[in-house]
Amino acid sequence: GLVHFFETCQNYLKTHHDLPIEEIRDMLEVVIHIRQHGTEQLSDQVKQTVKKLWEKIEKQDTWYENDLKILNTILFSFPIDHLHLITGKILQRLEVYKNYQHLYELRMTILLNLSTIYLYNQDKNTCQQICYTLLEDAKKKRRYDILAIAYVRIGICTSNDHLIQKGFSLLELTNETSMLSHLKKEVETCYQVKEI
């Protein structure tokens, strides 16, 4: 599968100078590493690759579909303090894609992943901000699964049981059972009941 594809790219690049293929190889390297080892201990090699991929897209004023895919691939490998520095820029760039039908999904995926990272790093303010944007997107696109996630996460971040329940109900109505059980776990993990 992926590893074979990675090796194919590697071999091709030994004899060809081809930037798009190089990018694919770099992305595969990151994905394979994260799948095998998680995001906790990135090798220096992978850190370098991530840095290279980010520096390339960071320089560009406009992000194209491929750049968004790169971003989505490397998001989870950023240290949280670095992610803090670049989230503003990412959100600003993503604004543009409100008008492109086929990139809208990708935009929502990136926002969703960002909110996940901030939630699990206990940064509830940033997570909440991102989820409000996601809420608008999901309403516009009638993506009830994403709408539900946004409700639940805003609920977690603001200790609002009503919003969490709203998200759960949406998923029950639309029979999204696996998503529902996933979010219930998330609430158990991340939700701190308000101290009275």
Side-chain angles (χ1 to χ4, degrees), residues 65-104:
E65 185 167 7
N66 202 42
D67 302 316
L68 293 176
K69 285 180 178 157
I70 290 176
L71 178 64
N72 202 32
T73 304
I74 61 181
L75 260 189
F76 285 94
S77 50
F78 285 134
I80 190 74
D81 42 355
H82 181 62
L83 197 59
H84 266 292
L85 300 174
I86 61 179
T87 295
K89 178 176 269 184
I90 293 172
L91 295 178
Q92 192 187 333
R93 294 278 168 84
L94 288 178
E95 273 306 292
V96 182
Y97 299 102
K98 282 185 165 171
N99 312 321
Y100 296 92
Q101 288 307 94
H102 70 293
L103 291 181
Y104 215 101

Side-chain angles (χ1 to χ4, degrees), residues 5-17:
F5 187 33
F6 172 74
E7 284 161 2
T8 310
C9 294
Q10 278 287 51
N11 290 332
Y12 177 78
L13 288 166
K14 281 175 188 158
T15 48
H16 302 77
H17 180 68

Side-chain angles (χ1 to χ4, degrees), residues 13-127:
L13 288 166
K14 281 175 188 158
T15 48
H16 302 77
H17 180 68
D18 187 322
L19 281 173
I21 300 283
E22 202 177 298
E23 244 164 45
I24 291 170
R25 184 222 32 211
D26 289 346
M27 284 163 72
L28 282 167
E29 185 191 339
V30 176
V31 171
I32 291 166
H33 183 89
I34 288 177
R35 280 198 184 165
Q36 289 173 348
H37 310 282
T39 50
E40 292 310 304
Q41 61 280 34
L42 296 180
S43 67
D44 289 344
Q45 165 80 30
V46 170
K47 282 182 188 160
Q48 278 311 109
T49 305
V50 168
K51 189 165 178 263
K52 182 170 110 186
L53 287 166
W54 169 246
E55 282 171 355
K56 181 209 164 260
I57 58 175
E58 186 183 28
K59 281 202 276 283
Q60 291 165 203
D61 292 330
T62 310
W63 285 347
Y64 300 99
E65 185 167 7
N66 202 42
D67 302 316
L68 293 176
K69 285 180 178 157
I70 290 176
L71 178 64
N72 202 32
T73 304
I74 61 181
L75 260 189
F76 285 94
S77 50
F78 285 134
I80 190 74
D81 42 355
H82 181 62
L83 197 59
H84 266 292
L85 300 174
I86 61 179
T87 295
K89 178 176 269 184
I90 293 172
L91 295 178
Q92 192 187 333
R93 294 278 168 84
L94 288 178
E95 273 306 292
V96 182
Y97 299 102
K98 282 185 165 171
N99 312 321
Y100 296 92
Q101 288 307 94
H102 70 293
L103 291 181
Y104 215 101
E105 286 297 310
L106 208 44
R107 168 189 148 95
M108 284 198 288
T109 306
I110 292 171
L111 288 170
L112 201 55
N113 286 339
L114 267 178
S115 78
T116 304
I117 296 169
Y118 279 114
L119 182 66
Y120 284 92
N121 278 284
Q122 314 280 318
D123 181 345
K124 292 187 172 167
N125 286 343
T126 314
C127 176

